[in-house]
Amino acid sequence: MAYEEVAMEAIKHALKALRKRHLVEEGAHAPALAALNRSPVLQGSEWKEKAENLEVELQQCYKARARLSELLVVEITEYRASKSLVPEKETLITDLQNELKSARDECSRLTELLEEKSKALDLIMSEHQDLKAQREAVTRRAEIKILVDRWRLQKMQDAERLNEANALYGDMLDKVKATSIEKLARQQVDGVVRQSEDGAGFYIESSIPSTCWQRIPAHDGGCASILFEYNSSKLISGGQDREIKIWDTRSGSLSNILYGCLGSVLDISITHDNKFIIAASSSNDLNVWDANSGRLHHILTGHINKVCAVDVSRSSSRYVVSAAYDRTIKVWDLQKGYCNNTIISHSNCNSLSLSTDATLCSGHVDGNLRLWDVQTGKLLREVAAHSKAVTSVSLSQYGNMILTSGRDNLHNLFDIRTFEICGTFRSNANRVASNWTRSRISPDESYVSAGSVDGSVHIWSVSNNKMVSTLKEHTSSVLCCSWSGVGNSLATSDKSGTICIWS
């Protein structure tokens, strides 16, 4: 049954295909059949009309062909002309490209040149500004120099007038001294001098100290300088902590503190009327205080390196001398607060001492002891005091002997009139601690005291140059000694800032 159905479907499909083919063939032969059905006359007229139309179209085609040929000839002519111009245009393009490349290279070169010129202009502007600033600075310095020259001229005139007054004063003082020698000789009885000439203090015969009865922690970082007030038991000290302290040695209590130093205190001095205290410091200046009020009176500036030594005139409390590591020694007027004179030395000065007759003794790094005229700045005498740097110069109470100490661990006593050595004090145990270790001679000129690097203090007798005592209390290097003029006290200070009072 299934086979019969399939056969029937196949037959139906075949019949449909035959019908479609028949319809297609009828459509294809329809025009031909329509033409055969028309009359021959009608067909001839139609063909004639078509032929005429085709002839017209052919003529139009010939005309169009002729026009196209003309256009083609024109185009070919133009093409040939254009083709002949191509090499020229290519050459022109090549030239233009080369010119463009050259222009770009020139532009790059000009850009680099512009940058160089801009940098040069900036440099020139900077140099111009520097030169302008230098010119202004030179102008200012010139103006300042003119003012300084005027000021110096005025000061020189003042100094000349002052020197004339000092000369008159010196002459009067010499006359007073000449008349007072006998009086001073009569005042010395049983080794006790009741009072020296006017302006000097009281002092008594010294004895050998043996006991430390005050131990004062005075300064932080070290105490480089100590000094007793005249006719007083008060002790002045200066240290690394930039402070000046005044102590009551009887009780060991602190009486006052003076502030104002900007550097470490390397040396101190006091006027003979106990009115002013002067400190030399590492800040290149000197500070002057009113001892009673504790107020800063002057700051003396002019040195260009640390000031390591200072002393006050014994004949007048007005004049101060200082030495610094700029190889200069300056003479100052305390009343006016300016420098009267500047002495230039070949070697830095570590210590100095001013006598009553306007002469100055200075000890230097080259080991020499020099004697100067303070008023003229002239070098009067010079002697090789030590083989190494001089650390201390101390004038005796009478002013006829000077004690020096050096890094060669020797302590020499000179006659200031002849500059000859009167005595030499030494010990294997005594070693000088620094360039500013200060030794001192007692007020009655009987003993010499000096500290050592091991913390001991040695005392020699001036009469026989022998050591008479060794004091041991300090635990660090002893830097300075000072004798009291109103008792048998000796004060010493060390690198740890401790002060010992001996009796």
Side-chain angles (χ1 to χ4, degrees):
M1 188 67 181
Y3 294 112
E4 291 177 0
E5 291 178 358
V6 173
M8 289 298 292
E9 290 293 330
I11 292 169
K12 290 179 180 179
H13 183 69
L15 290 173
K16 288 181 180 180
L18 288 173
R19 287 190 189 98
K20 287 182 179 180
R21 183 177 178 184
H22 177 69
L23 292 174
V24 171
E25 288 177 354
E26 282 183 354
H29 295 293
L33 291 174
L36 289 174
N37 292 328
R38 286 182 292 182
S39 64
V41 178
L42 183 60
Q43 290 179 358
S45 62
E46 290 178 359
W47 283 108
K48 184 178 179 181
E49 185 181 354
K50 288 181 178 181
E52 291 175 356
N53 291 334
L54 290 173
E55 187 177 358
V56 172
E57 289 180 0
L58 180 60
Q59 290 176 357
Q60 291 176 351
C61 288
Y62 285 151
K63 291 179 181 180
R65 181 180 177 183
R67 287 195 301 272
L68 291 174
S69 297
E70 293 175 357
L71 291 175
L72 179 61
V73 171
V74 174
E75 292 293 333
I76 290 172
T77 304
E78 291 178 355
Y79 168 72
R80 288 176 179 174
S82 299
K83 187 175 182 181
S84 64
L85 293 175
V86 167
E88 182 181 352
K89 297 297 183 182
E90 288 179 349
T91 303
L92 182 60
I93 289 172
T94 303
D95 294 340
L96 291 175
Q97 287 177 345
N98 293 333
E99 290 179 2
L100 178 61
K101 184 179 179 182
S102 300
R104 287 176 177 172
D105 294 340
E106 183 68 16
C107 182
S108 299
R109 188 182 67 81
L110 292 175
T111 302
E112 294 176 356
L113 183 61
L114 178 62
E115 291 178 355
E116 293 177 359
K117 297 297 183 182
S118 298
K119 292 179 180 178
L121 180 61
D122 293 339
L123 181 60
I124 291 172
M125 291 297 293
S126 177
E127 291 178 352
H128 172 71
Q129 294 295 332
D130 293 340
L131 290 174
K132 185 177 179 181
Q134 291 176 6
R135 183 177 63 82
E136 292 177 353
V138 169
T139 304
R140 287 196 298 270
R141 285 197 295 269
E143 293 175 353
I144 292 173
K145 186 176 182 302
I146 292 172
L147 294 175
V148 170
D149 290 341
R150 291 178 181 174
W151 178 80
R152 285 179 176 174
L153 180 61
Q154 183 65 37
K155 295 301 179 184
M156 288 176 62
Q157 294 174 353
D158 293 344
E160 289 177 358
R161 290 193 293 269
L162 185 62
N163 290 336
E164 292 176 358
N166 285 338
L168 293 174
Y169 176 77
D171 293 340
M172 294 176 62
L173 187 63
D174 290 340
K175 293 179 181 179
V176 171
K177 287 180 180 178
T179 57
S180 61
I181 291 176
E182 184 178 356
K183 179 180 178 181
L184 291 173
R186 288 196 301 269
Q187 287 176 341
Q188 185 174 0
V189 180
D190 297 332
V192 179
V193 176
R194 304 302 178 187
Q195 186 179 9
S196 63
E197 59 179 301
D198 294 341
F202 294 92
Y203 61 95
I204 65 174
E205 183 178 5
S206 302
S207 60
I208 302 173
S210 59
T211 304
C212 176
W213 60 282
Q214 291 287 354
R215 195 172 190 276
I216 304 170
H219 296 272
D220 295 330
C223 178
S225 185
I226 53 176
L227 179 69
F228 276 99
E229 286 187 353
Y230 291 97
N231 309 328
S232 172
S233 61
K234 288 185 178 181
L235 181 72
I236 307 167
S237 66
Q240 295 287 329
D241 54 7
R242 306 179 181 181
E243 296 177 350
I244 304 294
K245 297 182 179 181
I246 303 175
W247 306 88
D248 185 342
T249 56
R250 291 190 178 94
S251 63
S253 61
L254 181 63
S255 301
N256 197 4
I257 301 178
L258 308 179
Y259 299 98
C261 272
L262 300 179
S264 302
V265 179
L266 300 180
D267 198 14
I268 53 177
S269 186
I270 188 171
T271 57
H272 288 268
D273 53 10
N274 290 335
K275 286 185 177 180
F276 297 104
I277 297 172
I278 306 99
S281 73
S282 61
S283 59
N284 307 347
D285 52 25
L286 295 101
N287 296 74
V288 183
W289 290 272
D290 186 305
N292 295 325
S293 65
R295 297 161 77 179
L296 193 62
H297 186 68
H298 283 305
I299 298 179
L300 306 179
T301 59
H303 287 291
I304 59 175
N305 207 328
K306 60 184 176 184
V307 186
C308 53
V310 63
D311 196 18
V312 182
S313 171
R314 298 198 175 196
S315 59
S316 171
S317 297
R318 180 173 179 175
Y319 299 106
V320 174
V321 291
S322 64
Y325 262 39
D326 54 7
R327 297 186 180 182
T328 63
I329 299 172
K330 291 184 179 293
V331 183
W332 306 88
D333 187 323
L334 273 188
Q335 290 185 1
K336 297 183 178 180
Y338 66 78
C339 179
N340 281 341
N341 193 13
T342 297
I343 302 171
I344 300 176
S345 175
H346 298 295
S347 176
N348 286 323
C349 175
N350 283 332
S351 181
L352 48 77
S353 185
L354 193 59
S355 65
T356 56
D357 58 353
T359 57
L360 170 68
C361 295
S362 60
H364 296 258
V365 173
D366 60 5
N368 288 359
L369 177 66
R370 294 176 171 88
L371 184 67
W372 308 86
D373 186 316
V374 173
Q375 293 183 354
T376 64
K378 182 180 178 181
L379 179 63
L380 302 177
R381 287 183 182 178
E382 182 176 5
V383 64
H386 296 271
S387 60
K388 295 183 180 180
V390 179
T391 67
S392 175
V393 174
S394 175
L395 194 67
S396 67
Q397 182 70 30
Y398 296 117
N400 56 352
M401 290 189 296
I402 189 160
L403 175 68
T404 66
S405 298
R407 293 307 297 265
D408 56 2
N409 302 320
L410 296 179
H411 310 279
N412 294 325
L413 192 62
F414 288 87
D415 187 326
I416 198 170
R417 295 164 295 184
T418 62
F419 257 45
E420 294 180 356
I421 295 179
C422 303
T424 298
F425 311 96
R426 72 182 77 191
S427 172
N428 293 332
N430 182 259
R431 289 180 295 144
V432 175
S434 75
N435 274 5
W436 303 287
T437 299
R438 314 298 191 190
S439 59
R440 292 290 183 264
I441 185 170
S442 64
D444 65 350
E445 302 180 0
S446 297
Y447 303 102
V448 168
S449 62
S452 177
V453 71
D454 62 357
S456 60
V457 180
H458 299 89
I459 299 176
W460 291 269
S461 172
V462 174
S463 60
N464 56 19
N465 298 345
K466 292 183 178 180
M467 186 183 299
V468 294
S469 180
T470 300
L471 309 176
K472 294 185 178 181
E473 181 67 27
H474 292 281
T475 57
S476 60
S477 301
V478 177
L479 299 179
C480 190
C481 302
S482 180
W483 294 84
S484 170
V486 293
N488 296 324
S489 299
L490 171 67
T492 57
S493 64
D494 61 25
K495 276 189 175 181
S496 66
T498 300
I499 296 176
C500 293
I501 310 297
W502 307 84
S503 65

